[in-house]
Amino acid sequence: MDWTWYLFRFDGRINRALLWQALLIVALLAGLLGVIGQVIHFLNAEGSSKLSVKLDFDFGLDDLFKLVDPRIYRSLASLGHTDLILKASGLSLFTWIFLATATKRLHDRDKSGWWIIPFFFAPGLFGQFSDLLPDSHWALSLSLTASTLWLWGIVELFIVPGTAGHNRYGPDPSADFGDGSASVSPSAKSWDQSREIEIVPPSASPPGGMHVKRGS
């Protein structure tokens, strides 16, 4: 597998299994960054007064929406330089991986990658600023719409299979796995002895018997 294309490029198609695998990779990398942060704190003696270890795995899309919320900037001042660097690098990397793999999965559903906006970005932004909206009927309607779009996106990306066969974004990625056993090279096929062996009459030269054809 071309891992650069799989995790970082936006062309082509991937199936549901590869999207779930990408989320697992993101979770493992997030855990690794959390461990790295704790090791750096320990080496800098920042956590020497505390024996408990706390790992931060909070690298989600909600962090991306917090970037456009000025109210969150005050809490960033309490973070150290190490936490800010790890948080920024992790958020950039994981957001790119999610966008690349989700776009290819939308292609597998024969949809444009721009569907990621109503499926995830619009509901995420609404969830980030929903507490600022007044209690009214139109705010409830917006909440139901955002929830419906988010649920629709989950179904499209993680549950419903892709379109069968080729579509405008490329070949069926599931068919590549199914056709693997059919593409067997001719050299791997069974040896047909009846075609490779000839019976030589006793009067011929070399002496009679069974011999392998010279052109085989």
Side-chain angles (χ1 to χ4, degrees):
M1 177 187 293
D2 186 353
W3 289 91
T4 302
W5 168 82
Y6 169 44
L7 295 177
F8 300 106
R9 290 178 56 181
F10 293 81
D11 59 297
R13 300 167 58 181
I14 62 173
N15 55 20
R16 291 170 294 178
L18 290 179
L19 182 60
W20 282 106
Q21 178 178 277
L23 294 184
L24 178 60
I25 292 174
V26 167
L28 293 176
L29 291 177
L32 179 62
L33 282 182
V35 173
I36 292 175
Q38 292 298 323
V39 171
I40 294 176
H41 289 171
F42 178 78
L43 295 178
N44 292 336
E46 294 181 8
S48 58
S49 60
K50 297 182 179 180
L51 297 178
S52 61
V53 178
K54 180 182 179 181
L55 302 180
D56 185 8
F57 295 94
D58 187 17
F59 288 100
L61 286 179
D62 53 342
D63 290 327
L64 181 64
F65 303 127
K66 292 176 182 178
L67 294 178
V68 296
D69 191 349
R71 299 173 296 175
I72 305 299
Y73 295 158
R74 304 189 189 106
S75 61
L76 295 178
S78 61
L79 296 177
H81 294 292
T82 301
D83 294 326
L84 283 176
I85 293 175
L86 290 177
K87 199 78 170 179
S89 59
L91 181 61
S92 302
L93 175 63
F94 303 149
T95 301
W96 189 278
I97 292 176
F98 172 77
L99 291 177
T101 54
T103 298
K104 290 193 286 287
R105 174 64 182 132
L106 286 171
H107 291 172
D108 191 39
R109 293 287 300 143
D110 202 16
K111 284 181 168 54
S112 170
W114 292 106
W115 277 93
I116 201 72
I117 295 177
F119 283 162
F120 289 99
F121 283 97
L125 289 174
F126 177 81
Q128 183 65 37
F129 297 99
S130 59
D131 57 327
L132 300 178
L133 299 177
D135 295 332
S136 61
H137 295 290
W138 64 269
L140 179 60
S141 299
L142 286 178
S143 177
L144 292 176
T145 302
S147 300
T148 302
L149 288 173
W150 177 82
L151 182 60
W152 184 11
I154 292 295
V155 172
E156 286 282 346
L157 290 179
F158 297 99
I159 299 178
V160 181
T163 55
H166 282 67
N167 64 15
R168 52 181 170 159
Y169 298 104
D172 187 351
S174 300
D176 296 339
F177 295 98
D179 295 341
S181 60
S183 58
V184 181
S185 60
S187 60
K189 295 180 179 180
S190 60
W191 179 38
D192 189 355
Q193 296 183 3
S194 63
R195 296 183 178 181
E196 303 293 336
I197 296 178
E198 65 177 345
I199 305 298
V200 180
S203 60
S205 179
M210 298 179 63
H211 300 275
V212 179
K213 293 181 179 179
R214 296 182 178 180
S216 303

